[in-house]
Amino acid sequence: AKNFSTINLTEGRAYIWNVYCNDSAGNGAWYSSNYSITVEHITLPFSATWNTSKTSTGSSNSTTISLPLESTGIYDFTVDWGDGNISIVTAWNTINSNHTYGTEGVYAINITGTIVGFRFNAVGDKDKIIKITNWGVLRVGNSGDYFYGCSNLNSNATDNLDLTGTTDLSLMFSEA
């Protein structure tokens, strides 16, 4: 059986599946669905790669990642830390917004849910975020300086950052 959650679907496009089935004796045939499915809305996670070893003054240690959440933010999200651990974050200052790994290294982190307020402002783990693959559910908030100082950051995201409620883009990627 194919895990359909691993298929890259395009919003607004119709899909028809053809399935090849066979019995225990190896006899099989192709079957076509009689209906199509149109993808109405795809919600991508915020996906970013972090390198815990890239510490600097004011950052967490070389095995920890601390998300740059703001006290004025709105949070109700799940974070997959990329090492088999998952946390639920509902407040900016919860211990669940930090994660310590068994060893330092490079980890792909995925966030799903509501995350409004994400700001490095040239402090904290600014050097540890190295790549953004999807903007997904991330909304940066309205304080400016969001990725300011993230000198190791690159992005190959093809989706758009949701700027709902954001009117201040000052120093968005300064020194990044």
Side-chain angles (χ1 to χ4, degrees), residues 54-81:
K54 294 190 176 290
T55 60
S56 60
T57 303
S59 73
S60 60
N61 67 42
S62 66
T63 58
T64 301
I65 291 175
S66 181
L67 298 176
L69 306 182
E70 295 189 282
S71 62
T72 57
I74 301 168
Y75 307 107
D76 187 9
F77 65 86
T78 301
V79 56
D80 178 340
W81 294 102

Side-chain angles (χ1 to χ4, degrees), residues 96-175:
N96 290 343
S97 64
N98 303 303
H99 182 67
T100 300
Y101 296 89
T103 59
E104 67 180 53
V106 176
Y107 297 92
I109 295 175
N110 290 294
I111 296 174
T112 56
T114 301
I115 178 168
V116 181
F118 198 82
R119 182 176 185 235
F120 285 96
N121 193 22
V123 297
D125 286 353
K126 62 183 176 56
D127 291 334
K128 294 183 181 187
I129 187 167
I130 59 174
K131 182 168 71 171
I132 295 173
T133 308
N134 295 317
W135 293 108
V137 297
L138 179 67
R139 290 177 44 204
V140 291
N142 200 35
S143 300
D145 307 327
Y146 310 109
F147 294 93
Y148 175 27
C150 297
S151 60
N152 297 310
L153 179 62
N154 289 297
S155 176
N156 63 353
T158 57
D159 61 326
N160 295 320
L161 175 61
D162 184 350
L163 293 174
T164 303
T166 302
T167 59
D168 184 353
L169 295 175
S170 61
L171 301 175
M172 174 101 177
F173 293 104
S174 180
E175 298 180 24

Side-chain angles (χ1 to χ4, degrees), residues 14-93:
Y15 293 88
I16 297 174
W17 276 270
N18 294 307
V19 180
Y20 187 82
C21 300
N22 56 6
D23 59 22
S24 60
N27 301 314
W30 280 100
Y31 295 92
S32 180
S33 63
N34 293 326
Y35 58 92
S36 68
I37 297 172
T38 301
V39 178
E40 296 293 328
H41 180 70
I42 299 171
T43 303
L44 296 172
F46 170 63
S47 300
T49 304
W50 301 64
N51 185 338
T52 64
S53 67
K54 294 190 176 290
T55 60
S56 60
T57 303
S59 73
S60 60
N61 67 42
S62 66
T63 58
T64 301
I65 291 175
S66 181
L67 298 176
L69 306 182
E70 295 189 282
S71 62
T72 57
I74 301 168
Y75 307 107
D76 187 9
F77 65 86
T78 301
V79 56
D80 178 340
W81 294 102
D83 65 348
N85 289 291
I86 294 174
S87 300
I88 296 174
V89 177
T90 57
W92 73 277
N93 57 352

